[in-house]
Amino acid sequence: MTHAAAHVAAVTAAPALEPPTGAALHTRVEALAQALAATAVERDRAGGHAAAERELIKASGLLALSIEREWGGWGADAPTWLRVVRRLAEVDSALAHVFAFHHLQLATVRLYGTAEQQRRLIAGTLDSGAFWGNALNPLDRRTRATRTADGWRLDGVKSYCSGSVGSDWLSVSAWHEDSGSLLIGVLPTRTAGLTVQADWEAFGQRQTDSGTVRFDGVRLPDADVLVAPGSTPSVRGTLRPLLAQSVLTQLYLGLARGAFDAGRRFVVEQAQPWFSAGVARAADDPLVQHRWGAWSVGLRAAELLAEDAAAQLQQALDAGPAVTAAQRGQAAVATAQAKAAAHRIGLEIASNLFETTGARATSERLGLDRYWRNLRVHTLHDPLDQKLRDLGRHALDGRLPEPSPYS
Amino acid sequence: MTHAAAHVAAVTAAPALEPPTGAALHTRVEALAQALAATAVERDRAGGHAAAERELIKASGLLALSIEREWGGWGADAPTWLRVVRRLAEVDSALAHVFAFHHLQLATVRLYGTAEQQRRLIAGTLDSGAFWGNALNPLDRRTRATRTADGWRLDGVKSYCSGSVGSDWLSVSAWHEDSGSLLIGVLPTRTAGLTVQADWEAFGQRQTDSGTVRFDGVRLPDADVLVAPGSTPSVRGTLRPLLAQSVLTQLYLGLARGAFDAGRRFVVEQAQPWFSAGVARAADDPLVQHRWGAWSVGLRAAELLAEDAAAQLQQALDAGPAVTAAQRGQAAVATAQAKAAAHRIGLEIASNLFETTGARATSERLGLDRYWRNLRVHTLHDPLDQKLRDLGRHALDGRLPEPSPYS
Amino acid sequence: MTHAAAHVAAVTAAPALEPPTGAALHTRVEALAQALAATAVERDRAGGHAAAERELIKASGLLALSIEREWGGWGADAPTWLRVVRRLAEVDSALAHVFAFHHLQLATVRLYGTAEQQRRLIAGTLDSGAFWGNALNPLDRRTRATRTADGWRLDGVKSYCSGSVGSDWLSVSAWHEDSGSLLIGVLPTRTAGLTVQADWEAFGQRQTDSGTVRFDGVRLPDADVLVAPGSTPSVRGTLRPLLAQSVLTQLYLGLARGAFDAGRRFVVEQAQPWFSAGVARAADDPLVQHRWGAWSVGLRAAELLAEDAAAQLQQALDAGPAVTAAQRGQAAVATAQAKAAAHRIGLEIASNLFETTGARATSERLGLDRYWRNLRVHTLHDPLDQKLRDLGRHALDGRLPEPSPYS
Amino acid sequence: MTHAAAHVAAVTAAPALEPPTGAALHTRVEALAQALAATAVERDRAGGHAAAERELIKASGLLALSIEREWGGWGADAPTWLRVVRRLAEVDSALAHVFAFHHLQLATVRLYGTAEQQRRLIAGTLDSGAFWGNALNPLDRRTRATRTADGWRLDGVKSYCSGSVGSDWLSVSAWHEDSGSLLIGVLPTRTAGLTVQADWEAFGQRQTDSGTVRFDGVRLPDADVLVAPGSTPSVRGTLRPLLAQSVLTQLYLGLARGAFDAGRRFVVEQAQPWFSAGVARAADDPLVQHRWGAWSVGLRAAELLAEDAAAQLQQALDAGPAVTAAQRGQAAVATAQAKAAAHRIGLEIASNLFETTGARATSERLGLDRYWRNLRVHTLHDPLDQKLRDLGRHALDGRLPEPSPYS
């Protein structure tokens, strides 16, 4: 265990009679955030698999955050664990993504699985200390499912599998040609025939452990199938993409806030006033202040939209199987609005904070470009303009977003 | 009583054992909104004093909305009466302004006045059915206060006095040269020596009854002075400008929502698709949908900021004399953010909705230009860029907005 | 003749051995511009037919501006007469439109007509002092053409006919059902069966004399047909819409420059600095200066795009029948780019100049809202977003704009 | 000599009876551009000194581009060599910067030097095949000049010296405390006591050879002083900063055009249409087309502004010592407008092209992020907002930009 992991573990070590909430949760999250922050700039440049930092996350206990209390977890609802994602993304949006995808896969089991599967897999996660990743990319149909006597056989490849490198369990999807639909299941990453290739090479979000997963005659028993091909999707099941979209929103917001804080600090502590501006400090320049004022409005607005969307989503989750398409649709609108706003203000701040810092802020050592790079890469998960179009349909015709893997 | 006033009165007429809240309040507000909407386009073009519509407002009972329950009022808190302002502004932002300024002057008495003054003036408003206006413009120091034996003598003029034409009571301010400070008091509009000139002639917000008030040796007894010259302002007193700013925010939001709804309806019901767009309806054009989607995000964001700001302001009001400068300052930041956001999205929608409607939407009969004209005039109360600068100071240095008549 | 017309005529009166160009042309244009400016605000509010101002234009001699020198005209090329349109639009965009449409119809005769028609109609315009308008709206197919022995019979109505009210000659179009194509011809406005109804009622461009033209069995002899139904359009003929689009661009630019100059003057001469800005004059406020700096860039850019487009268009016109589709296409791209840029910067300045002026600039007497109203109405001739889409197709695939009445 | 350099040299080798212009110049520039492009992505990632590519530039003969014909150079005027800078920046903005700074230093000699200095240094550049860099940064006053018997002694350091690493000659500035002014001179880079430290470490423009130059008792003879401390600057001398600003403009435009072309190609050749967009190709999506259309307008506008500014600047240069402050001022306004426009559209395209490409365009191998990184770093030379403020002063008050090292 590294020194940092030891520190995080120490914060976590006190025998928890009660799962940490409120201030206690805050303390643990801050300890993890500080530990990640210490090396974030350097790791962002280097890319690759952040094995030590994954250990930090495990040591923090936060992998139990969204797990049900009755099974020994911390029982946080979606708005709570999404806020932790946001906080971690302020300092390290790649690891925050890995962390978020762990909880997203647990939610996947919760939303799609039977009571038995939920108990076995979610409670089992706690017992085994497992870290979840995914191999679900619904747009990549190259992995095919073939029926066997007692389950399915998976063959093919799946790209853009966030969190797969270094994971213990994976949620997976495979295309079933006969029914023209997807199968969704779960598999231990160390299953025979399953290999993960660490081939992510984008210019941002470099440590998201997004690999390519290859299936060579992988056996998936029926017991681990969450959604069989041809199943009629329930409204409740369609909350999963809203949770996935919410994760993205929180990551954008964390990056936006991270850029805001880092930029603000640079302006206040290091930026030089321009010689003709007639002020003693860059932070006293009305033109500089004006930019930061506008950004503060945009950022706060996006945060409120995200909080509102998360609350609506939680209500829909709380409704259980009784959730209606209308309730789901309203939450989908709120989720899309929050994501669009976070996308825009994040890029705006991350790209333009430099207008107020001067050239010195572009030193590689500071790594202030990483907010733009990380946002730029991560905001391309699904296209902004299509989301705005969906929202326009709703605004004009009252049409709720079509449930899809991205809405 | 006009037919419309009779209808509004009928809705209001049921003997109210309880002050209307929730659905009952909603019904009354809607009845008033419908009545105002029926003639709003025409009155907007004509300008002038809307005597009949002031009667509609009186008949609705809503002048009692913010008055304390113990004195027979409806007891609505600030977020509630501000929401009513917003709703009315969707259909008639000039009358909504007049309505809001009535409640703002009541709040002025509440924040500055003694217990005796509050009871006498606020409870008295209910008994007399008075409509309040103002003659407070703090940037116009041409009205001077001179000490007399038992009070003050006011001489001079005061410009931009919203709601003064046709009012029963006025809150007034006058400059006291010796102390270099303002006196604030209240006066019946029909006081000897006080005349109101209806000289408002802007291209928008034409029926705000914003006149010029002239004081010729007007006598203001000490009993009606709310703030004597040279008084040290309390933190609580500095909540008044936040309420005034919140009124503006709600008017902008009402106009923005009004423009959004009217534009949306036109696109759906009347706009023609462009011949080369390859769609059957204008509302099916992706480029049209994209614009509306983006506007829906901006409008919803501004609404959430306004709700958040109103809640913070109400908490500060609830704190009574114990309210701290820090609490006030946080509410001031939220208030400024909401106002800036409402300003921007309002003008954006009001000006650009036409990009999606085609030329036919510019007919004078439809009056769709009034949203831009009303917003454009009303958003100049205090400059957006200075507000963003203030917010930037806060963002950079943590400096809370300096209390002033505009922040 | 009014006093103003007399003044304009006096400037024009000197026996012109040579058609005025350069400084001489400038003097005449300025005299007309000043005369129109004197009453522009008032007439803009009132709307209706500007008979006296049409006389001013006639008296200025500028109806001959684009007419060939060989026939006694002033022989200005397109960039030159378009610049005059722009200058007039700075002070009166409605009359500038009427003026521009006169020259656009002359160009229509030049591009579509036979040598005989050109000489007869264009030279005839000079002799008779005729003012041209149009009844061409290609999207309104309610006017039908029926073949007769020696020509055509026209029946039906045509909307949005700019310059028709008070015109002497009209270019007209009618739908020919059998061939599924338009006929284009010219008619004296006082033709039997042709009536012009002054029913334009938009909130801007109020004096463009845009009426509805009704045809009741109107006889159009073959000699006055410019384009017979079913004719194959020549590349040269497709330059006409580019000229029409260029007229709009110049009107937008004139309005933009007019708004810029009027706003600038107000800021410098009348605007008050904000109390907390710490400057002596509004024009010294860095936030005010920043806005004007940005606008100056956008306006200058649009002007250069328009000059560039006009030069390309003139080259295409100069090529005569030899003009190629590629040359036409390049000119079409430049024309569309200029129009889009003028549209955007015009609205930006016209709407936002008020952010720097304060509330006093909204007085009806100043009429500073007319720039927005006029731009807003006039920019809806064809949709900006579709134009940007066309330009995007060209940017991506190199596809030249499809010739149409709007591109 | 590398293979690439050999190719470039071969293109250049034909015995030039005439300096290459027009098509011949174009051929040489394209050969160099192709050679730089081949390794640009890789070198951009790696950073460091591009010795081989500097040899390519030398082999191209283009170091003679701006050198007077009478001395054997190619005699290109400023608009011409600036266009070459722009073209090279499309593929490699760092080397284009190094190339541009060579010609900028030659211009410095031309504008500040005596006839003897011009002949000796400029003609000498051609003879020796020298590559110029600079150590002029006027905001860094740490290098001090002390008077000696026959010249000056320089001591101290100078930061941000573009093109200094690997240069043969440097223009240098040093602060003279007694007169409170700068000395400007030239020095061979291999002068005793002068060392160049390659310490540039920004996240963009990584190969601009921007080092820190250290002076330890460096001797500068009077003969190599271009501007002695305390000299009154001539108007002609103040054209130098306009040329420096124009170089930046061209680099931004080259980057913008490079991003535009690379992005466009990706969209057309590789981008996938979104599943719900209902189109066969991403390039057929109206929302994608709309973005590219808007960018084409902004880019073309900035290019026209730059051409216009370069033409005005050349006129001012052609005026020689007779150039007036007014002429200089107009050129300064045009230069500032062009730079601001190029700054904005460059960042807009470089950051947002990804909205239309999808996630695959973020692969490190493609290097499409380099446009944003290079622009982001390079646009911080002097602050955009201050430039817009200067332009606003001119727009409002007609005040011409104050000559300074940045305007």
Side-chain angles (χ1 to χ4, degrees):
Chain A
M1 191 182 284
T2 65
H3 175 74
H7 172 72
V8 169
V11 169
T12 315
L17 298 180
E18 280 294 302
T21 57
L25 175 57
H26 180 77
T27 302
R28 285 167 192 242
V29 170
E30 287 308 305
L32 177 58
Q34 300 306 329
L36 293 175
T39 54
V41 170
E42 187 184 329
R43 287 182 291 105
D44 175 88
R45 292 276 167 220
H49 180 59
E53 285 68 28
R54 276 175 165 271
E55 288 308 311
L56 286 179
I57 294 172
K58 283 194 179 183
S60 75
L62 283 160
L63 290 183
L65 180 59
S66 71
I67 295 181
E68 284 75 358
R69 288 193 171 217
E70 56 186 292
W71 298 327
W74 299 8
D77 62 5
T80 302
W81 70 260
L82 287 168
R83 262 178 236 121
V84 175
V85 170
R86 192 199 307 177
R87 171 63 187 118
L88 298 180
E90 291 177 18
V91 300
D92 186 338
S93 57
L95 271 291
H97 179 84
V98 170
F99 170 77
F101 262 52
H102 168 80
H103 290 290
L104 180 60
Q105 308 324 312
L106 291 178
T108 307
V109 173
R110 202 172 285 126
L111 287 167
Y112 293 151
T114 62
E116 185 277 330
Q117 286 174 321
Q118 291 181 46
R119 192 176 49 247
R120 175 164 54 87
L121 294 165
I122 299 177
T125 293
L126 201 66
D127 299 339
S128 65
F131 216 130
W132 283 76
N134 95 106
L136 274 175
N137 180 357
L139 294 186
D140 183 353
R141 297 182 173 175
R142 291 174 300 163
T143 299
R144 299 299 170 125
T146 320
R147 186 67 201 167
T148 62
D150 58 348
W152 299 83
R153 180 192 151 115
L154 309 188
D155 292 279
V157 292
K158 186 70 85 178
S159 60
Y160 291 133
C161 298
S162 292
S164 61
V165 181
S167 66
D168 303 305
W169 277 83
L170 290 170
S171 57
V172 303
S173 79
W175 185 250
H176 182 239
E177 192 67 35
D178 294 351
S179 65
S181 67
L182 281 174
L183 164 156
I184 297 174
V186 297
L187 281 169
T189 310
R190 276 168 221 86
T191 299
L194 188 159
T195 49
V196 178
Q197 189 183 353
D199 56 2
W200 175 246
E201 43 131 40
F203 60 70
Q205 289 293 88
R206 283 174 175 155
Q207 296 202 309
T208 50
D209 289 333
S210 292
T212 296
V213 174
R214 168 174 293 278
F215 301 87
D216 291 307
V218 169
R219 194 185 153 269
L220 174 69
D222 279 331
D224 287 344
V225 172
L226 299 179
V227 178
S231 311
T232 309
S234 67
V235 173
R236 180 166 165 82
T238 64
L239 296 178
R240 201 265 177 197
L242 301 189
L243 215 38
Q245 292 276 307
S246 297
V247 163
L248 296 172
T249 302
Q250 300 292 345
L251 291 165
Y252 304 168
L253 283 178
L255 278 160
R257 179 59 72 181
F260 189 90
D261 285 346
R264 189 195 69 72
R265 266 198 308 278
F266 190 93
V267 170
V268 170
E269 294 167 12
Q270 302 191 51
Q272 300 297 311
W274 190 242
F275 71 87
S276 65
V279 291
R281 305 184 316 145
D284 291 335
D285 186 332
L287 300 174
V288 169
Q289 294 170 340
H290 188 269
R291 290 215 181 235
W292 284 93
W295 294 335
S296 80
V297 176
L299 184 49
R300 178 74 181 144
E303 288 170 349
L304 288 177
L305 285 166
E307 284 294 325
D308 178 62
Q312 288 194 43
L313 179 52
Q314 187 60 45
Q315 284 188 326
L317 290 165
D318 290 346
V323 62
T324 64
Q327 188 179 8
R328 190 270 177 203
Q330 288 303 329
V333 169
T335 300
Q337 288 179 327
K339 180 150 171 282
H343 176 134
R344 287 182 152 186
I345 189 65
L347 282 170
E348 160 69 20
I349 296 172
S351 183
N352 289 327
L353 69 91
F354 294 98
E355 303 291 357
T356 68
T357 59
R360 259 184 284 213
T362 64
S363 162
E364 289 249 72
R365 273 179 303 113
L366 297 171
L368 293 179
D369 60 321
R370 74 187 193 280
Y371 301 105
W372 179 85
R373 286 188 292 95
N374 290 336
L375 271 160
R376 192 60 288 186
V377 168
H378 220 55
T379 46
L380 302 183
H381 185 264
D382 56 302
L384 171 66
D385 290 338
Q386 297 294 335
K387 194 153 301 289
L388 290 173
R389 184 194 176 178
D390 283 359
L391 286 169
R393 273 199 198 108
H394 175 255
L396 288 166
D397 288 330
R399 211 162 127 189
L400 294 170
E402 207 77 44
S404 87
Y406 302 93
S407 60
Chain B
M1 191 182 283
T2 65
H3 176 74
H7 172 70
V8 169
V11 168
T12 314
L17 300 178
E18 281 294 303
T21 59
L25 176 56
H26 179 76
T27 303
R28 285 167 191 243
V29 171
E30 287 308 306
L32 177 58
Q34 300 307 329
L36 293 175
T39 53
V41 171
E42 186 185 328
R43 285 183 293 106
D44 175 88
R45 292 276 166 219
H49 180 60
E53 285 68 28
R54 277 177 168 268
E55 289 307 312
L56 286 179
I57 295 172
K58 284 195 180 183
S60 76
L62 282 160
L63 290 183
L65 180 59
S66 71
I67 294 181
E68 283 75 358
R69 288 193 170 219
E70 55 187 294
W71 298 328
W74 299 9
D77 62 4
T80 302
W81 70 259
L82 287 168
R83 262 179 235 120
V84 174
V85 170
R86 191 197 310 176
R87 172 62 187 119
L88 297 181
E90 291 178 18
V91 299
D92 186 338
S93 57
L95 270 292
H97 180 84
V98 169
F99 171 77
F101 263 50
H102 168 81
H103 290 289
L104 181 60
Q105 307 326 312
L106 291 178
T108 306
V109 173
R110 204 172 283 127
L111 288 167
Y112 293 152
T114 61
E116 185 277 329
Q117 286 173 321
Q118 291 181 47
R119 192 177 47 247
R120 174 164 52 88
L121 293 165
I122 300 177
T125 293
L126 201 66
D127 299 340
S128 65
F131 215 130
W132 284 76
N134 96 105
L136 274 175
N137 180 358
L139 295 185
D140 183 353
R141 297 182 173 175
R142 291 174 298 164
T143 299
R144 300 298 171 126
T146 319
R147 185 66 199 166
T148 62
D150 58 348
W152 299 84
R153 181 193 149 112
L154 308 188
D155 292 279
V157 292
K158 188 70 85 176
S159 60
Y160 291 133
C161 298
S162 292
S164 60
V165 182
S167 66
D168 301 305
W169 277 83
L170 291 170
S171 56
V172 302
S173 79
W175 186 249
H176 182 238
E177 192 65 36
D178 294 351
S179 63
S181 68
L182 282 175
L183 164 156
I184 297 174
V186 297
L187 280 169
T189 309
R190 276 169 221 85
T191 299
L194 189 159
T195 49
V196 177
Q197 189 184 352
D199 57 2
W200 175 247
E201 44 133 40
F203 60 70
Q205 290 291 88
R206 285 175 175 155
Q207 296 202 309
T208 51
D209 290 332
S210 292
T212 296
V213 175
R214 169 174 291 278
F215 300 86
D216 291 307
V218 168
R219 196 182 152 269
L220 174 68
D222 280 333
D224 286 345
V225 171
L226 299 179
V227 180
S231 312
T232 309
S234 67
V235 173
R236 180 166 165 80
T238 65
L239 296 179
R240 202 266 178 196
L242 301 189
L243 215 38
Q245 293 274 308
S246 298
V247 162
L248 296 172
T249 302
Q250 299 293 345
L251 291 166
Y252 304 168
L253 283 178
L255 278 160
R257 179 60 72 180
F260 189 90
D261 286 345
R264 190 195 69 71
R265 266 196 309 276
F266 191 93
V267 170
V268 171
E269 295 167 11
Q270 301 191 50
Q272 300 297 313
W274 190 242
F275 71 89
S276 66
V279 291
R281 304 185 316 146
D284 291 336
D285 186 332
L287 300 174
V288 169
Q289 293 170 341
H290 188 270
R291 290 217 180 233
W292 284 93
W295 295 333
S296 80
V297 175
L299 183 51
R300 178 75 181 143
E303 288 170 349
L304 287 177
L305 285 166
E307 284 293 326
D308 179 61
Q312 289 193 43
L313 179 51
Q314 185 61 43
Q315 285 187 328
L317 289 166
D318 290 345
V323 62
T324 64
Q327 188 178 8
R328 191 268 179 204
Q330 288 304 328
V333 169
T335 301
Q337 288 179 327
K339 180 150 171 282
H343 177 134
R344 287 181 152 189
I345 189 65
L347 282 170
E348 160 70 19
I349 297 172
S351 183
N352 288 326
L353 69 89
F354 294 97
E355 303 290 359
T356 68
T357 59
R360 261 185 283 213
T362 64
S363 161
E364 287 247 73
R365 273 179 302 112
L366 297 170
L368 292 179
D369 60 320
R370 75 186 192 280
Y371 302 105
W372 180 85
R373 286 188 292 97
N374 290 335
L375 271 161
R376 191 58 291 183
V377 168
H378 220 56
T379 48
L380 302 182
H381 185 265
D382 56 302
L384 171 66
D385 289 338
Q386 297 295 336
K387 193 153 300 287
L388 291 172
R389 184 194 177 178
D390 283 359
L391 287 169
R393 274 202 198 106
H394 176 255
L396 288 166
D397 289 329
R399 213 164 124 190
L400 294 171
E402 208 77 45
S404 86
Y406 302 93
S407 60
Chain C
M1 191 182 280
T2 65
H3 175 75
H7 173 70
V8 169
V11 168
T12 313
L17 299 178
E18 281 293 301
T21 58
L25 176 57
H26 179 76
T27 302
R28 286 167 191 243
V29 170
E30 286 309 304
L32 177 59
Q34 300 306 329
L36 293 175
T39 53
V41 171
E42 186 185 329
R43 286 183 292 107
D44 175 87
R45 292 277 166 218
H49 179 58
E53 286 67 28
R54 277 176 167 267
E55 290 306 312
L56 286 178
I57 295 173
K58 283 194 180 183
S60 76
L62 283 160
L63 291 183
L65 180 59
S66 71
I67 295 182
E68 283 75 358
R69 287 192 171 220
E70 55 188 292
W71 298 327
W74 298 8
D77 63 3
T80 302
W81 70 259
L82 287 169
R83 262 179 235 122
V84 174
V85 170
R86 192 198 308 176
R87 172 62 187 119
L88 297 181
E90 292 178 19
V91 298
D92 186 337
S93 57
L95 271 291
H97 179 84
V98 170
F99 170 78
F101 263 50
H102 168 80
H103 290 289
L104 180 60
Q105 307 326 311
L106 291 178
T108 307
V109 173
R110 202 172 285 127
L111 288 167
Y112 293 151
T114 61
E116 184 277 331
Q117 285 174 323
Q118 291 181 47
R119 191 178 47 248
R120 175 164 52 89
L121 293 165
I122 300 177
T125 293
L126 201 66
D127 299 339
S128 65
F131 216 131
W132 284 75
N134 96 105
L136 274 174
N137 181 357
L139 295 185
D140 182 353
R141 297 183 174 175
R142 292 174 297 164
T143 299
R144 299 300 169 125
T146 320
R147 185 67 200 166
T148 62
D150 58 349
W152 299 83
R153 182 192 148 113
L154 310 187
D155 293 277
V157 292
K158 187 70 86 175
S159 60
Y160 291 133
C161 297
S162 292
S164 61
V165 181
S167 65
D168 302 305
W169 276 82
L170 290 171
S171 58
V172 302
S173 80
W175 185 250
H176 182 239
E177 192 66 35
D178 294 351
S179 63
S181 67
L182 280 175
L183 163 156
I184 297 174
V186 296
L187 281 170
T189 310
R190 277 170 220 84
T191 299
L194 190 160
T195 49
V196 178
Q197 188 183 354
D199 57 1
W200 174 247
E201 43 133 41
F203 59 71
Q205 289 293 89
R206 284 174 174 156
Q207 296 202 308
T208 51
D209 290 332
S210 293
T212 296
V213 174
R214 170 175 291 278
F215 301 86
D216 290 307
V218 168
R219 194 181 154 270
L220 174 68
D222 280 332
D224 286 345
V225 171
L226 300 179
V227 179
S231 312
T232 308
S234 67
V235 173
R236 179 166 166 81
T238 65
L239 297 178
R240 202 266 177 196
L242 301 189
L243 214 39
Q245 292 275 308
S246 298
V247 162
L248 296 173
T249 302
Q250 300 292 345
L251 291 166
Y252 304 168
L253 283 179
L255 278 160
R257 179 59 71 180
F260 190 89
D261 286 345
R264 190 194 68 70
R265 266 197 309 275
F266 191 92
V267 170
V268 171
E269 296 168 10
Q270 302 192 50
Q272 299 297 312
W274 189 241
F275 70 89
S276 66
V279 292
R281 304 186 317 146
D284 291 335
D285 185 332
L287 300 173
V288 169
Q289 293 170 339
H290 188 271
R291 289 216 181 233
W292 284 93
W295 295 333
S296 80
V297 176
L299 184 50
R300 177 75 182 143
E303 288 170 348
L304 288 177
L305 285 166
E307 285 293 326
D308 178 61
Q312 289 193 43
L313 179 51
Q314 185 61 44
Q315 285 187 327
L317 289 166
D318 290 345
V323 62
T324 64
Q327 187 178 8
R328 190 267 179 205
Q330 288 303 328
V333 168
T335 300
Q337 288 179 327
K339 180 150 171 281
H343 177 134
R344 287 181 152 189
I345 189 63
L347 282 170
E348 161 68 20
I349 297 173
S351 183
N352 289 327
L353 70 90
F354 295 97
E355 303 291 358
T356 68
T357 59
R360 261 184 284 212
T362 64
S363 161
E364 288 247 73
R365 273 179 302 113
L366 298 170
L368 292 178
D369 60 320
R370 76 186 193 279
Y371 302 105
W372 180 85
R373 286 188 291 96
N374 290 336
L375 271 160
R376 192 59 290 183
V377 167
H378 220 56
T379 48
L380 303 182
H381 184 264
D382 56 302
L384 171 66
D385 289 338
Q386 296 296 335
K387 193 152 301 282
L388 291 172
R389 184 194 176 179
D390 283 359
L391 287 169
R393 273 201 198 107
H394 175 255
L396 288 166
D397 288 329
R399 212 163 125 188
L400 294 171
E402 208 77 46
S404 87
Y406 302 92
S407 60
Chain D
M1 191 182 282
T2 64
H3 175 73
H7 172 71
V8 168
V11 169
T12 314
L17 298 179
E18 282 294 301
T21 57
L25 175 57
H26 180 77
T27 303
R28 285 166 193 243
V29 171
E30 286 309 305
L32 177 58
Q34 300 306 330
L36 293 175
T39 54
V41 170
E42 187 184 329
R43 286 183 292 106
D44 175 88
R45 292 277 167 219
H49 179 59
E53 285 69 27
R54 276 175 166 270
E55 289 308 312
L56 286 179
I57 294 172
K58 284 194 179 184
S60 76
L62 282 160
L63 292 183
L65 179 59
S66 70
I67 294 181
E68 284 75 357
R69 287 193 170 217
E70 54 187 293
W71 298 327
W74 299 7
D77 62 4
T80 302
W81 70 259
L82 288 168
R83 261 178 235 122
V84 174
V85 170
R86 191 198 307 177
R87 172 63 187 120
L88 297 181
E90 291 177 19
V91 299
D92 186 337
S93 57
L95 270 292
H97 179 84
V98 170
F99 170 77
F101 262 52
H102 168 80
H103 290 289
L104 180 61
Q105 308 326 311
L106 292 178
T108 307
V109 174
R110 202 171 285 128
L111 288 167
Y112 292 152
T114 62
E116 184 279 329
Q117 286 174 323
Q118 291 182 45
R119 191 176 48 248
R120 175 165 53 88
L121 294 165
I122 300 176
T125 294
L126 201 65
D127 299 338
S128 65
F131 216 130
W132 284 76
N134 97 104
L136 274 176
N137 181 356
L139 294 186
D140 183 352
R141 297 183 173 174
R142 292 174 299 164
T143 298
R144 299 298 169 126
T146 320
R147 185 67 200 166
T148 62
D150 58 347
W152 299 83
R153 180 193 150 115
L154 309 187
D155 292 278
V157 292
K158 187 71 85 177
S159 60
Y160 292 132
C161 298
S162 292
S164 61
V165 181
S167 65
D168 302 305
W169 277 82
L170 289 171
S171 56
V172 302
S173 79
W175 185 248
H176 182 240
E177 192 65 35
D178 294 350
S179 64
S181 67
L182 281 175
L183 165 155
I184 297 175
V186 298
L187 281 170
T189 309
R190 277 169 221 85
T191 299
L194 188 160
T195 48
V196 179
Q197 189 184 351
D199 57 1
W200 175 247
E201 44 132 39
F203 59 70
Q205 289 294 87
R206 284 175 174 154
Q207 296 201 310
T208 51
D209 289 332
S210 293
T212 295
V213 175
R214 169 174 291 279
F215 300 87
D216 290 307
V218 168
R219 196 184 151 269
L220 175 69
D222 280 331
D224 286 345
V225 172
L226 300 179
V227 179
S231 312
T232 308
S234 67
V235 173
R236 179 166 166 81
T238 64
L239 297 178
R240 201 266 178 197
L242 302 188
L243 215 38
Q245 293 276 307
S246 297
V247 162
L248 297 172
T249 302
Q250 299 293 345
L251 291 165
Y252 304 167
L253 282 179
L255 278 160
R257 179 60 72 180
F260 189 89
D261 285 346
R264 189 194 69 72
R265 266 196 308 277
F266 191 93
V267 170
V268 170
E269 295 167 11
Q270 301 191 51
Q272 299 296 312
W274 191 242
F275 71 88
S276 66
V279 292
R281 305 185 317 146
D284 291 337
D285 186 331
L287 299 174
V288 169
Q289 293 170 340
H290 188 269
R291 289 215 182 235
W292 284 92
W295 294 334
S296 78
V297 176
L299 183 50
R300 178 75 182 144
E303 289 170 349
L304 288 177
L305 285 166
E307 284 293 325
D308 178 61
Q312 289 193 42
L313 180 50
Q314 186 60 45
Q315 284 188 327
L317 290 165
D318 290 346
V323 62
T324 64
Q327 187 178 10
R328 191 268 178 204
Q330 288 303 330
V333 169
T335 301
Q337 288 179 326
K339 180 150 171 281
H343 177 135
R344 288 182 151 187
I345 189 65
L347 283 170
E348 161 68 21
I349 296 172
S351 183
N352 289 326
L353 70 90
F354 295 97
E355 303 291 356
T356 67
T357 59
R360 259 185 285 213
T362 65
S363 162
E364 288 249 71
R365 275 179 302 111
L366 297 171
L368 292 179
D369 60 321
R370 76 186 193 279
Y371 301 105
W372 180 85
R373 285 189 293 96
N374 290 336
L375 271 161
R376 192 59 290 186
V377 168
H378 220 54
T379 47
L380 302 182
H381 184 265
D382 56 303
L384 171 66
D385 289 337
Q386 296 295 335
K387 194 155 298 290
L388 291 173
R389 184 193 176 179
D390 284 358
L391 286 169
R393 272 201 199 108
H394 175 255
L396 288 166
D397 288 330
R399 210 161 127 190
L400 294 171
E402 208 76 45
S404 89
Y406 302 92
S407 59

